[in-house]
Amino acid sequence: GLVLVLSEQRLVVHRDGRTEVRKPTVDGHAAVDREFLDAVLGRRESTRVPYPEACATHRVATAIARSAAAGAPFSPSAVSA
């Protein structure tokens, strides 16, 4: 079988009794923070995702977190942008 364990620090692949560890070539936290600040400060022409799409994705993620915490459904439309 195949088991993948993914985190911000590494990817661990367990396959056929072997384990392989891959580490990113950049610091993910720093890269995300840098891109965010560059976008806010107008240093970038564009970001990876248009702002309305990023807000919609954030609403979905927030609804998932609230649903998990409450143990009940929570609609993304109920989350303010």
Side-chain angles (χ1 to χ4, degrees):
L2 174 66
V3 176
L4 302 174
V5 181
L6 179 63
S7 72
E8 293 175 332
Q9 291 81 28
R10 63 186 177 181
L11 168 65
V12 181
V13 180
H14 301 282
R15 179 181 15 212
D16 302 325
R18 295 185 319 263
T19 300
E20 178 183 347
V21 178
R22 294 186 179 201
K23 295 186 178 180
T25 57
V26 298
D27 179 342
H29 289 106
V32 168
D33 290 348
R34 188 177 320 104
E35 185 166 327
F36 173 77
L37 290 173
D38 285 348
V40 169
L41 295 171
R43 294 179 189 158
R44 292 178 55 91
E45 290 282 328
S46 65
T47 59
R48 296 187 186 273
V49 178
Y51 187 73
E53 186 176 336
C55 287
T57 302
H58 179 74
R59 283 191 292 274
V60 170
T62 301
I64 290 169
R66 288 183 180 178
S67 290
F74 197 94
S75 174
S77 63
V79 177
S80 60

